Amino acid sequence: MKIMVVGGGGREHAIIKSLKKSPKVSKIYALPGNGGIAADAECVDIGAKDIDKIVEFAVGNGIEFAVVAPDDPLVLGAVDALNEKGISCFGPKANAAIIEGSKVFSKNLMKKYNIPTAEYEVFNDMDAALKYLETAPIPTVIKADGLALGKGVIIAETREDAIDAVKSMMEDKIFGDSGNNIVIEEFLTGPEVSVLSFTDGNVVVPLVSSMDHKRALDGDKGLNTGGMGTIAPNPYYTKEIADECMEKIFVPTMEAMNKEGRTFKGCLYFGLMLTPKGPKVIEYNCRFGDPETQVVLPLLESDLFEIMQHVEAGTLKDAEVKFSKSAACCVVVASNGYPGKYETGFEIMLPENSDGIFVAGAKIKDGKLVTSGGRVLGVTEVGACLNCAINAAYKTVESVKFDNAFYRKDIGQKALAALK
Ligand code: AMP
Ligand code: GLY
């Protein structure tokens, strides 16, 4: 089958490498892909948000199946538009992608259906929000309603910081219209777990759990980033907790979306916090996580493309979704300075075997692979134990070379400590 993958980051590279293994897939296009993805798929210079051009390309090139990976095109209705032209897709329609597209929607959904999450208030008026902050418990968490490149969450440690955060979103509009409505919520504590799942609206099948490392620097210091590394499985996520999440969070969320007339088909991502009062939802994403996908898919032993077809057809219960018992670690190698200012254009040297290298921010220039983004690539290795995977990943990282490369040295250490 001729298929296309919409998106152009490390996550999409991992999805494409996994899809390539399916005997059913004969040709993969990536829209837009990137300089590293070009080794595994034919890249087409169409942006992931350019829905009209995506549809035109799919129709014009006989695409039989589309995987829409990033949040923006999903929220903008890429799947709806492709379906209208008769093209099967993996990914939710816009009316279900809203579970990520609007925090107000997802918080109200959880409240209505008793799904455990942080206590919260919604505001569309800045004065009311500021008044509420006068007595709100501190620390507090301020979230812009809409998509904000993963940066729309501010944890305020003091009342002054909270006031500044509200003003920056509602008055200065640092996230544009995404800040027209905001959520102010209870600050929760506990280990975080990412659980990606496949769902077709009939059943929900969790994938192996993972742990992201969001801060830029070792010891969880520095600014929040798109993710500096991941490990899987997450040792905090025991069988008991998994069962509890299935019963109280995963199935209720799927059923809630069905009841709202917004059946979710695709990858539903649960960002969880294991609080002293039990697991609670921090956020939903309507897609595979980045860089969680870079550790989860290398552990998948089943045919990803077949699973995606089952999700689309509503027959997920018949799909084989099997994971290896191994562990995986992904270390993100970034441009020094990220998530702030950084330089690009440096040539990248990769080791001979680059199976586990997922390229995010690189392009081909004069026939060479050069850096073009903040997060340049992720290096994943699989090992028999978590420590083995971590050591292997860092060993491979040493053979990746480009000027101004930067990476955290402690990916997986928190997980190792939890195992002890
Ligand atoms: P998000 O962009 O929604 O993934 O949030 C970014 C990060 O903020 C999460 O991974 C958590 O570490 C943190 N966070 C979000 N909501 C809360 C909360 N209610 N309490 C504590 N930390 C939170
Ligand atoms: N790694 C978190 C996300 O994909 O949103």
Side-chain angles (χ1 to χ4, degrees):
M1 262 202 192
K2 232 173 161 183
I3 68 170
M4 73 179 190
V5 174
V6 175
R11 163 185 57 204
E12 286 75 11
H13 200 181
I15 292 171
I16 286 168
K17 284 197 190 207
S18 192
L19 288 171
K20 253 181 92 170
K21 291 190 231 157
S22 172
K24 287 189 167 177
V25 173
S26 55
K27 168 94 189 171
I28 308 180
Y29 293 95
L31 282 65
N34 65 43
I37 290 176
D40 295 290
E42 184 171 334
C43 296
V44 181
D45 192 15
I46 293 175
K49 289 198 262 184
D50 201 339
I51 310 288
D52 292 343
K53 288 218 177 106
I54 290 169
V55 174
E56 195 185 305
F57 176 83
V59 172
N61 291 274
I63 299 296
E64 295 165 273
F65 195 91
V67 179
V68 182
D71 46 0
D72 287 296
L74 290 167
V75 171
L76 289 170
V79 169
D80 309 61
L82 287 161
N83 283 169
E84 257 174 49
K85 297 288 180 194
I87 296 162
S88 303
C89 294
F90 178 85
K93 293 186 175 180
N95 78 342
I98 191 174
I99 199 164
E100 172 170 5
S102 166
K103 298 238 191 264
V104 174
F105 171 86
S106 66
K107 293 299 290 189
N108 289 344
L109 184 87
M110 288 185 270
K111 186 186 261 179
K112 183 169 170 187
Y113 292 94
N114 266 317
I115 297 165
T117 188
E119 298 290 330
Y120 71 102
E121 297 286 338
V122 174
F123 298 94
N124 58 16
D125 174 74
M126 189 173 76
D127 292 331
L130 294 176
K131 178 120 191 62
Y132 172 79
L133 282 181
E134 284 172 13
T135 53
I138 298 294
T140 190
V141 184
I142 326 266
K143 300 187 170 181
D145 176 38
L147 296 180
L149 294 168
K151 294 178 186 140
V153 174
I154 297 176
I155 314 256
E157 306 277 352
T158 66
R159 221 167 282 282
E160 290 68 43
D161 287 352
I163 292 167
D164 287 346
V166 166
K167 285 186 176 165
S168 70
M169 288 184 195
M170 300 191 88
E171 196 168 63
D172 308 337
K173 301 269 176 206
I174 56 166
F175 303 122
D177 287 345
S178 286
N180 288 352
N181 294 298
I182 63 164
V183 171
I184 301 184
E185 72 176 29
E186 177 196 8
F187 175 75
L188 300 175
T189 55
E192 285 187 55
V193 183
S194 305
V195 180
L196 320 187
S197 71
F198 293 119
T199 176
D200 62 353
N202 299 309
V203 292
V204 48
V205 180
L207 315 193
V208 64
S209 63
S210 55
M211 182 193 286
D212 196 0
H213 297 67
K214 287 202 161 106
R215 301 291 201 95
L217 308 175
D218 285 3
D220 290 332
K221 303 247 166 34
L223 294 171
N224 249 321
T225 70
M228 293 300 290
T230 38
I231 57 96
N234 185 323
Y236 288 105
Y237 194 69
T238 59
K239 170 86 174 69
E240 291 71 44
I241 292 175
D243 290 344
E244 187 179 356
C245 289
M246 193 69 179
E247 182 199 335
K248 293 185 180 156
I249 296 175
F250 304 161
V251 171
T253 301
M254 179 189 76
E255 287 175 346
M257 292 298 275
N258 287 341
K259 284 189 192 128
E260 295 293 309
R262 298 174 181 274
T263 292
F264 188 105
K265 283 184 174 188
C267 177
L268 181 53
Y269 168 127
F270 300 91
L272 306 171
M273 196 169 264
L274 309 180
T275 78
K277 290 187 187 156
K280 295 194 181 188
V281 177
I282 289 279
E283 63 162 347
Y284 292 117
N285 291 326
C286 64
R287 51 169 176 87
F288 286 99
D290 189 345
E292 284 91 342
T293 306
Q294 290 91 311
V295 283
V296 169
L297 289 186
L299 295 174
L300 179 68
E301 290 179 333
S302 310
D303 184 318
L304 177 63
F305 184 63
E306 277 187 12
I307 297 170
M308 287 180 162
Q309 284 186 308
H310 276 295
V311 168
E312 199 270 338
T315 54
L316 180 58
K317 67 171 184 1
D318 302 326
E320 183 205 72
V321 186
K322 230 178 85 197
F323 285 89
S324 103
K325 294 271 175 264
S326 306
C329 172
C330 173
V331 178
V332 169
V333 188
S335 301
N336 195 17
Y338 170 80
K341 270 203 192 128
Y342 53 82
E343 281 181 67
T344 60
F346 301 112
E347 187 177 356
I348 304 168
M349 303 296 178
L350 296 179
E352 206 135 281
N353 176 359
S354 55
D355 273 358
I357 295 188
F358 303 116
V359 176
K363 62 178 184 188
I364 307 273
K365 197 179 161 207
D366 304 328
K368 290 177 179 154
L369 188 66
V370 301
T371 63
S372 67
R375 287 189 298 168
V376 176
L377 50 84
V379 174
T380 296
E381 292 290 351
V382 170
C385 67
L386 181 59
N387 202 20
C388 322
I390 294 169
N391 289 336
Y394 276 104
K395 190 152 176 267
T396 306
V397 164
E398 278 171 29
S399 58
V400 171
K401 302 234 185 299
F402 60 86
D403 286 351
N404 274 15
F406 171 81
Y407 56 89
R408 272 180 67 162
K409 309 284 187 297
D410 66 341
I411 301 302
Q413 290 308 317
K414 223 169 28 181
L416 278 183
L419 282 174
K420 280 183 191 137

